[in-house]
């Protein structure tokens, strides 16, 4: 008797099955207070290219720096400091490819820039609605090539600057139409330079090119689908190196994950104080390893999640229904 195993790869050109990620609780740090490693309304969070985690500890008027496992490194800032250089209400925070730290200073309507160790570098902005002015700069993001984007909350717009604070452009106005905003609260940039905005009052994410040209949007179903997988009130947005989009859902205390075109992938979390639960999560970021960090603002802590690969439901359906399916492995067993 002979056994012959034949392996055949059948090629196709159907819709590719795109992988995304879901989160597994890893660790947490922080508690209410003013001491080192404690927080009072931790609002913004960012990870540097070297892997350190920066937290905008907003009600304590300071930035705190940690390792990826939550070990305290340093802090800077206070409500009252000489020359007003460190007097700020830090809400949003971002780190550029060179390691410089950018902070959106909500109370003073300005952006402040620091070295990775907290040395003051520069600032720009003032109160108002003119170009380069702000009325509640709540979130900030820096693209891989150094473009700085600010979510100008009460001016209902996104403003773009160079890293030295030179004004480049803006887009947006008050409303619910395409490229309009009702309190843009979060901004993120993917590796291709596309800009994602958490349009809080309109319960949607809008996606733009690096120059502000509208691409697409996604939002919840109508109110009668309450508690559906797409019902959310976005407070921040982040994009990983694979193009997966992470959104903090303030209404239901969840993290939701989408593809770069808005296809729902997965979610985790609920309202509460236990590990993996959230109260008023205000910001989210992803490091180069795919680990996800959440500013769990209402619980005065940072939570970290590792990620694992999942397949979006829509992609599975596309592959199944395609007339020309993707590559398949066929194994034939012949006995004689």
């Amino acid at each position: 008797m002979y056994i012959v195993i034949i392996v055949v790869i059948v090629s196709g050109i159907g819709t590719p099955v795109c992988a995304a990620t879901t989160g597994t609780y890893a660790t947490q740090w922080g508690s209410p207070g003013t001491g080192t490693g404690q927080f009072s309304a931790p609002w913004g969070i960012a990870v540097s290219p070297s892997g350190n985690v920066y937290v905008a500890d907003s009600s304590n008027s300071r930035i705190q720096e940690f390792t990826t496992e939550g070990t305290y490194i340093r802090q800077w800032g206070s409500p009252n400091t000489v020359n007003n250089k460190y007097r700020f209400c830090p809400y949003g925070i971002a780190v550029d490819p060179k390691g410089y730290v950018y902070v959106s200073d909500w109370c003073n309507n300005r952006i402040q820039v620091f070295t990775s160790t907290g040395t003051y570098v520069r600032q720009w902005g003032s109160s108002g609605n003119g170009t380069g002015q702000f009325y509640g700069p709540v979130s900030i993001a820096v693209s891989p090539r150094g473009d700085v984007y600010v979510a100008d909350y009460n001016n209902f717009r996104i403003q773009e600057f160079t890293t030295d604070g030179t004004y480049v452009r803006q887009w947006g106005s008050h409303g619910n139409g395409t490229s309009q905003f009702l309190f843009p609260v979060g901004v993120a940039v993917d590796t291709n330079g596309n800009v994602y905005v958490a349009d809080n009052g309109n319960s949607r994410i809008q996606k733009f090119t690096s120059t502000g040209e509208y691409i697409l949007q996604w939002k919840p179903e109508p109110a009668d689908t309450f508690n559906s997988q797409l019902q959310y009130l976005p407070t921040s947005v982040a994009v990983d190196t694979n193009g997966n989009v992470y959104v903090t859902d303030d209404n239901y205390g969840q993290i939701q994950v989408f593809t770069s075109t808005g296809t729902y992938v997965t979610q985790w979390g609920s309202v509460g104080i236990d590990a993996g639960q959230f109260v008023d999560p205000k910001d989210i970021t992803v490091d180069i390893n795919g680990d996800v960090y959440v500013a769990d603002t209402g619980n005065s802590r940072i939570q970290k999640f590792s990620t694992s690969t999942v397949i979006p439901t829509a992609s599975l359906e596309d592959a199944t229904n395609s007339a020309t399916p993707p590559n398949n492995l066929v194994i034939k067993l012949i006995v004689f």
Side-chain angles (χ1 to χ4, degrees), residues 79-103:
N80 299 289
T81 304
V82 176
N83 295 328
N84 208 31
K85 285 184 177 179
Y86 298 100
R87 178 176 180 162
F88 61 156
C89 302
Y91 272 35
I93 190 168
V95 185
D96 73 11
K98 296 180 179 180
Y100 288 97
V101 181
Y102 298 72
V103 180

Side-chain angles (χ1 to χ4, degrees), residues 221-227 231:
E221 297 296 323
D224 59 358
T225 60
F226 183 77
N227 280 334
Q231 185 72 31

Side-chain angles (χ1 to χ4, degrees), residues 4-10 328-333:
V4 179
I5 299 176
I6 302 175
V7 178
V8 180
I9 297 178
V10 181
N328 291 284
L329 183 68
V330 179
I331 301 177
K332 293 184 178 180
L333 181 66

Side-chain angles (χ1 to χ4, degrees), residues 24 38 55 64 93 101 148 160-161 170 228 234 247 250 295 298 300:
T24 301
Q38 294 185 308
V55 180
Q64 293 197 70
I93 190 168
V101 181
V148 181
E160 180 187 349
F161 303 87
Q170 65 178 284
S228 77
V247 180
D250 195 38
S300 297

